[in-house]
Amino acid sequence: MVLSLCLFFTIFVSAQEDCINIQRPKVAVVLSGGGAKGFAHIGVLKVLEQEGIPIDIIVGTSMGSLIGGFYSLGSDNPLI
């Protein structure tokens, strides 16, 4: 009887720990190259911020890397 109660409480506690340690998926944004597309990247990043979508990783090529670099400097940046 005591052994079955110990087993029950062990399963119950481990099930609660699994619910607490749920992690959200990481969000990565990939920005492409091209001067005109750079302005579109700024708009997309603004909308993602307004919707509260966190960006964990940002990468880019050419103009996308410049916009990503400016974005990574912080939200007080005049470009974004």
Side-chain angles (χ1 to χ4, degrees):
M1 177 69 176
V2 174
L3 182 60
S4 62
L5 282 176
C6 290
L7 182 62
F8 172 76
F9 286 119
T10 304
I11 294 170
F12 182 74
V13 170
S14 66
Q16 285 182 343
E17 289 176 356
D18 290 341
C19 292
I20 294 172
N21 293 329
I22 295 174
Q23 296 180 0
R24 66 173 179 78
K26 291 197 182 277
V27 176
V29 176
V30 181
L31 306 176
S32 64
K37 290 180 188 174
F39 295 109
H41 295 325
I42 294 171
V44 169
L45 291 173
K46 282 184 179 181
V47 169
L48 289 174
E49 276 189 357
Q50 289 173 355
E51 294 298 319
I53 299 171
I55 299 173
D56 299 310
I57 303 165
I58 188 163
V59 296
T61 299
S62 188
M63 188 59 152
S65 65
L66 291 174
I67 298 299
F70 286 132
Y71 180 79
S72 67
L73 290 176
S75 60
D76 57 346
N77 189 343
L79 290 178
I80 298 177

